[in-house]
Amino acid sequence: MKELIFDLETSPAKAWVWRAYKIDSVIEVIEDTKILSVAWKWIGEKRIYAMCLADFGGYIPGVVDDLEITKFVGELITKADIAVAHNGRKFDMKMAYGRMFMHGLKPPREPLLIADPKAEASSRFLLVKNNLEYISLRRGGDSKTEHEGFALWKKCMAGDLHALTRMKKYNRNDVRILEPIYLQ
């Protein structure tokens, strides 16, 4: 059984809105949410991998074209019997499949199981919070990687290679702290 632990980091959507308080007030979507980076590891292996937009051929700094990274994420999912992601059912898997759909790509074979520790925590436990950092810290694990906040995402979208390297580090750490939670 091949078990894939993975995490996606994405850009925000750009849109014109009448007001910020209403979801349905979006007038026009200028740019969709796109995949900036992916981190992953296989259960039973030590190494945690990460790739970002700049790691793929044809990357142009400041252009958020996620076709190649989306194809790559699809290939990863195809190799997995079990895909594990914190909030994976509501976010990571839907994001991956949504981006494949928008690019006109054939969706990969579904994993036999999508394991979502956040969904499991929400349905089985009454915790104060169900986010990755809270669960990790309460179990004696590590915190998420500190960063400069949304400024990191803006720098990544602008093509700052140092920011993209920091994003991969942040992304890789999420996978690292998720593994023991999943295994328990």
Side-chain angles (χ1 to χ4, degrees):
M1 216 27 105
K2 286 196 76 159
E3 296 170 280
L4 170 72
I5 297 180
F6 79 105
D7 181 53
L8 300 178
E9 295 301 331
T10 62
S11 66
K14 292 181 186 176
W16 288 103
V17 298
W18 288 117
R19 294 185 186 154
Y21 76 95
K22 291 175 94 179
I23 298 284
D24 62 353
S25 68
V26 174
I27 300 164
E28 180 182 349
V29 174
I30 309 300
E31 188 173 316
D32 288 329
T33 298
K34 297 179 181 175
I35 299 170
L36 295 175
S37 71
V38 59
W40 74 97
K41 90 175 286 296
W42 299 98
I43 295 289
E45 295 180 9
K46 290 188 182 235
R47 186 165 178 201
I48 301 172
Y49 304 88
M51 294 186 81
C52 69
L53 293 173
D55 295 321
F56 293 88
Y59 173 70
I60 300 168
V63 176
V64 183
D65 178 357
D66 69 345
L67 174 61
E68 296 305 319
I69 196 169
T70 299
K71 286 179 186 176
F72 182 78
V73 169
E75 291 166 10
L76 276 176
I77 291 169
T78 298
K79 294 174 185 172
D81 296 310
I82 300 173
V84 181
H86 200 78
N87 202 27
R89 286 192 189 114
K90 287 188 176 181
F91 182 77
D92 300 81
M93 291 299 289
K94 285 183 176 185
M95 175 58 65
Y97 280 89
R99 294 308 300 151
M100 288 175 225
F101 175 77
M102 294 306 287
H103 284 297
L105 301 172
K106 182 179 176 186
R109 173 190 62 78
E110 283 276 332
L112 298 174
L113 176 67
I114 298 168
D116 183 343
K118 182 176 183 180
E120 290 298 311
S122 298
S123 69
R124 294 176 182 249
F125 311 133
L126 184 57
L127 303 177
V128 173
K129 292 181 177 182
N130 295 313
N131 67 41
L132 182 59
E133 184 168 58
Y134 179 84
I135 293 171
S136 179
L137 290 172
R138 289 296 189 250
R139 292 186 58 260
D142 293 327
S143 62
K144 291 172 71 81
T145 299
E146 288 190 37
H147 57 79
E148 61 263 38
F150 185 62
L152 176 61
W153 275 255
K154 289 197 295 191
K155 289 174 187 174
C156 288
M157 291 181 294
D160 181 326
L161 295 178
H162 295 293
L164 286 163
T165 298
R166 289 193 309 278
M167 181 65 77
K168 289 194 299 187
K169 179 181 177 185
Y170 172 80
N171 205 183
R172 205 179 270 115
N173 188 52
D174 279 2
V175 168
R176 185 181 65 77
I177 65 177
L178 177 57
E179 184 176 21
I181 294 168
Y182 164 69
L183 291 174
Q184 185 181 5

